[in-house]
Amino acid sequence: MKPLCALWVLCIVLAGCFASPTAPHPTSTPDPFPALLAEGEMLAARDERTAAEESFLEAAAFRPSDPAPYLRLARLYRDWNRPQEGLTAVAAAERLGAPAGEVASLRTALHAARRDWEAVLSDGALALQLNPADASIRHLVAQACVELGRVDEARTHYQALLALVLDDPLAHERLGALLALSDPAAARPHLEAAATPLASDLLGALAASGNDPTYRLARVGMACLAHGEAALAGLALQQAVARNPAYADGHALLGQALEQTGQMEEAQDHLEQAVRLAPNSALARSLLGLHYLQAGEPEKARPHLEAAYDLDPQNPALSLYLARLYADLGLYSAAEVWLEEAIRLAPEDPVIGEQVARFYLDRSIAGGQRALEVSRELVQRAPESGAAHELLGQAWFMLGHYAEAETELLKAVEMEPERTSAWYHLGQLYAYLGRGEEARGALIAARDRCLDPALWAEIEQALAELP
């Protein structure tokens, strides 16, 4: 079965939920339904998700009145970051009489994947009412409280989690972070018990900030931002700028946190306020410029990014931002100058090297030749890096050296089998060379591993274009 839009397939299958039951099979014929479910579970456990999806859909078509295939589909879609299809499957399971607790738990997790935090609270409350000891759901509900700024409720949920599991490191970490906003002494034992990287950095922030509450809140916010915890960072930084409205870097960092949680208008307000308060702050200028750049407004970004570079000329990240700025403005020669400046400033930094090579490839600057050179250097410095081999394979492909491209892309997926983009690029190569079955296999491997909606759409398009 060729890969199809799962939502469309589900709609077809769901139509059968209300059809007349099919005639029973002769008693001598084995019932395939349990085998299909077991096969789907086995495939899902191996992350062969496309095949697992087909097994569960086949089971649902064979026995349309049974909720079990839909519950399994919902779990599969939850793990596959396809929450809308998951919610459709849960709705089918619920109509067919699936247990209310399992329905509520799955729905809570799927709403969390969609970042619909109000729905998480609603369905999570029902799930916890039916099963108060469900730690995974209580974690999601506590996270929703953090995302919505309900600090006291979040603390209550994390305390409840620790009453269930005394040594839950994530609950200790999050409770410690929330207590650090107002009660550092109470936060420390939880952060020490958590012993996570974020908890360690938060302990360092508390130790370094002394008795200055504004500085403590800013340091807590910075630590949370560094670990990708934008909602927690926002809570700390909001309190920091409330205490000191003239704190320019606090406004800049708060803008960054708000942007990462999708609050774009509020983010821009704080970023602009930071620049008004401190026009000579490289941090404020760079974050506001990057905000405009990501919003597709390079003309607005330009004065801020240029000013940021003048203030901090040794920062290679600013050179990359300027390269992107000038490329967006159509000034590709200038963009190339700034790419080379980034490499000059950080010649041994693999992250900078990867970003430069990817930029050359994505923008087709210098015809792929410079991407090839940078990628070769990356492979020499990090021969076990799947990302480096993938970039080198892409560069060879762009230059028309297909055997070399295949070799490098195969190395990338061998070293990092979960590297979705490498499987995708391998599938593109095979499709270009007319090796249809190999292309389909590589693209399905990419599809099975894909958790990025944007890349998912590209994979689906590539599969649809295969003969």
Side-chain angles (χ1 to χ4, degrees):
M1 172 177 166
K2 294 175 70 174
L4 299 170
C5 173
L7 197 55
W8 179 77
V9 174
L10 271 177
C11 289
I12 293 175
V13 175
L14 292 180
C17 293
F18 307 102
S20 299
T22 56
H25 288 264
T27 55
S28 60
T29 303
D31 182 358
F33 183 77
L36 287 168
L37 292 183
E39 179 185 54
E41 293 283 9
M42 177 192 68
L43 292 166
R46 299 202 308 238
D47 288 340
E48 296 179 31
R49 294 179 174 126
T50 297
E53 179 184 42
E54 292 175 358
S55 293
F56 293 143
L57 288 169
E58 189 176 349
F62 187 84
R63 193 178 292 176
S65 62
D66 195 313
Y70 299 104
L71 291 172
R72 284 162 172 78
L73 279 166
R75 288 195 288 270
L76 177 71
Y77 293 138
R78 175 199 62 196
D79 298 338
W80 209 351
N81 196 28
R82 295 170 61 185
Q84 194 55 54
E85 290 97 327
L87 288 168
T88 301
V90 166
E94 185 176 33
R95 282 194 294 270
L96 295 170
E102 191 166 3
V103 167
S105 294
L106 280 168
R107 192 170 277 144
T108 302
L110 291 160
H111 284 312
R114 296 176 68 237
R115 299 187 62 82
D116 185 347
W117 302 116
E118 293 287 357
V120 170
L121 291 184
S122 175
D123 283 293
L126 175 59
L128 289 175
Q129 181 181 345
L130 295 169
N131 184 6
D134 190 332
S136 63
I137 294 302
R138 196 171 290 278
H139 266 292
L140 292 177
V141 171
Q143 181 186 354
C145 292
V146 170
E147 298 282 347
L148 294 170
R150 302 183 184 184
V151 174
D152 291 340
E153 293 175 54
R155 287 174 180 164
T156 298
H157 283 294
Y158 286 125
Q159 288 164 345
L161 278 163
L162 291 172
L164 289 169
V165 183
L166 185 59
D167 59 351
D168 184 329
L170 183 58
H172 276 297
E173 175 195 271
R174 300 305 171 86
L175 182 56
L178 292 169
L179 288 169
L181 304 179
S182 57
D183 191 347
R188 287 188 182 91
H190 291 289
L191 296 173
E192 290 166 355
T196 62
L198 173 56
S200 297
D201 285 355
L202 287 171
L203 284 167
L206 295 179
S209 57
N211 295 321
D212 183 341
T214 302
Y215 186 49
R216 180 191 76 240
L217 290 163
R219 289 291 301 265
V220 167
M222 291 170 64
C224 291
L225 270 177
H227 289 271
E229 296 294 340
L232 283 171
L235 293 174
L237 293 162
Q238 282 169 343
Q239 290 191 28
V241 299
R243 284 179 169 274
N244 182 2
Y247 185 16
D249 283 357
H251 282 285
L253 293 167
L254 176 55
Q256 184 183 19
L258 292 170
E259 188 174 67
Q260 290 179 15
T261 56
Q263 301 173 72
M264 306 307 285
E265 290 185 12
E266 297 90 337
Q268 184 169 315
D269 289 343
H270 285 283
L271 291 168
E272 290 176 344
Q273 176 68 356
V275 169
R276 283 192 294 270
L277 289 167
N280 291 325
S281 165
L283 175 68
R285 287 283 196 170
S286 63
L287 290 178
L288 180 57
L290 187 58
H291 171 82
Y292 283 132
L293 197 59
Q294 291 172 337
E297 299 181 274
E299 290 289 358
K300 288 185 177 181
R302 185 172 187 170
H304 299 294
L305 291 177
E306 289 177 342
Y309 175 79
D310 289 340
L311 292 162
D312 188 9
Q314 299 305 308
N315 186 340
L318 291 174
S319 296
L320 288 175
Y321 297 161
L322 285 165
R324 177 177 169 186
L325 167 70
Y326 292 123
D328 285 355
L329 291 170
L331 304 171
Y332 291 103
S333 295
E336 191 168 359
V337 169
W338 288 105
L339 290 172
E340 296 306 317
E341 176 67 0
I343 291 177
R344 185 189 71 80
L345 291 170
E348 301 299 322
D349 188 332
V351 175
I352 295 296
E354 284 182 27
Q355 292 187 50
V356 169
R358 188 165 285 112
F359 199 105
Y360 273 114
L361 288 166
D362 291 346
R363 305 282 183 139
S364 298
I365 297 175
Q369 185 60 45
R370 188 66 180 117
L372 180 70
E373 295 165 357
V374 176
S375 300
R376 273 177 159 168
E377 292 170 5
L378 283 172
V379 168
Q380 288 171 0
R381 286 200 297 269
E384 301 304 314
S385 167
H389 285 284
E390 179 186 354
L391 289 166
L392 184 53
Q394 288 179 262
W396 280 125
F397 186 12
M398 182 177 286
L399 291 166
H401 293 258
Y402 305 125
E404 292 87 344
E406 181 182 15
T407 297
E408 296 301 327
L409 291 170
L410 285 171
K411 285 180 182 177
V413 298
E414 181 182 358
M415 290 173 179
E416 299 180 25
E418 296 308 308
R419 193 165 191 82
T420 303
S421 56
W423 284 108
Y424 171 56
H425 291 126
L426 185 61
Q428 284 185 308
L429 172 65
Y430 288 145
Y432 181 83
L433 296 174
R435 295 159 61 176
E437 287 308 308
E438 290 168 285
R440 187 178 305 283
L443 290 170
I444 288 176
R447 188 180 191 265
D448 284 343
R449 293 160 172 79
C450 187
L451 304 179
D452 177 356
L455 183 55
W456 172 273
E458 294 183 33
I459 294 167
E460 289 287 270
Q461 181 65 30
L463 281 164
E465 291 173 356
L466 290 177

